[in-house]
Amino acid sequence: MAATDTGRRLTEAHRLAQRRLGAQLAIRMSDLWALLDLGDLDGSAERWLRATTPVVNAQRYQSALLAGEYYKRLRAAENVRGEITAAVTRSQRAEVAQLTTSLLVTGPNDVKRSLARGVRLERAVDLAKAKSAGAAVRHTLN
């Protein structure tokens, strides 16, 4: 927890910046649902994953940049001495297998499970869009 007013303001600003980043990603993930063929979820899932994975990783990189800048500024505001060496690189991507599993389970697979339970297609898609966007945001802000 920040000890100074400046530190608390920086912390709140950082929280809001990360929240905006997550909201932007959720919107982008919703837009990318157009790549899924609802009549062939299995056949179109790979195309969707190829499009969503770089979007998640680009936002993950932005999140890391925000966090690194916040950390430096907070240390200065709180008069923390010493050097820090934390490099943020584009190679710090979400674990591909974990991201792929999360997106498939919360996206196309969730649509199929909902339909099997008798949920209307429109509702099943809405639920899966929200769940997969949430998974993408979690992997991004993690």
Side-chain angles (χ1 to χ4, degrees):
M1 177 168 233
T4 64
D5 286 338
T6 300
R8 285 187 285 278
R9 283 192 300 276
L10 286 169
T11 298
E12 179 62 8
H14 176 66
R15 184 186 70 76
L16 292 173
Q18 292 285 0
R19 189 174 186 180
R20 279 190 300 276
L21 193 74
Q24 291 166 353
L25 176 60
I27 291 167
R28 183 71 179 117
M29 289 296 293
S30 181
D31 292 344
L32 289 170
W33 266 80
L35 296 174
L36 286 168
D37 177 354
L38 298 178
D40 184 17
L41 287 169
D42 291 334
S44 59
E46 183 63 35
R47 175 180 58 219
W48 179 70
L49 288 170
R50 280 194 313 270
T52 55
T53 298
V55 170
V56 170
N57 281 321
Q59 292 296 81
R60 183 179 169 96
Y61 176 68
Q62 292 303 313
S63 175
L65 289 176
L66 286 171
E69 185 59 31
Y70 160 70
Y71 188 61
K72 285 189 271 185
R73 294 178 72 196
L74 181 65
R75 285 174 56 91
E78 303 284 310
N79 294 313
V80 175
R81 300 190 197 298
E83 294 289 320
I84 59 166
T85 55
V88 175
T89 67
R90 289 197 183 268
S91 65
Q92 295 168 318
R93 302 178 191 277
E95 171 59 44
V96 175
Q98 291 175 357
L99 177 60
T100 297
T101 298
S102 289
L103 293 178
L104 286 174
V105 166
T106 60
N109 294 354
D110 194 67
V111 171
K112 291 188 288 187
R113 279 190 308 275
S114 291
L115 292 174
R117 289 190 319 266
V119 176
R120 289 180 305 112
L121 177 61
E122 182 179 305
R123 178 72 177 142
V125 169
D126 287 345
L127 290 169
K129 274 185 182 182
K131 288 178 184 178
S132 63
V137 170
R138 181 175 48 83
H139 282 277
T140 295
L141 302 181
N142 201 7

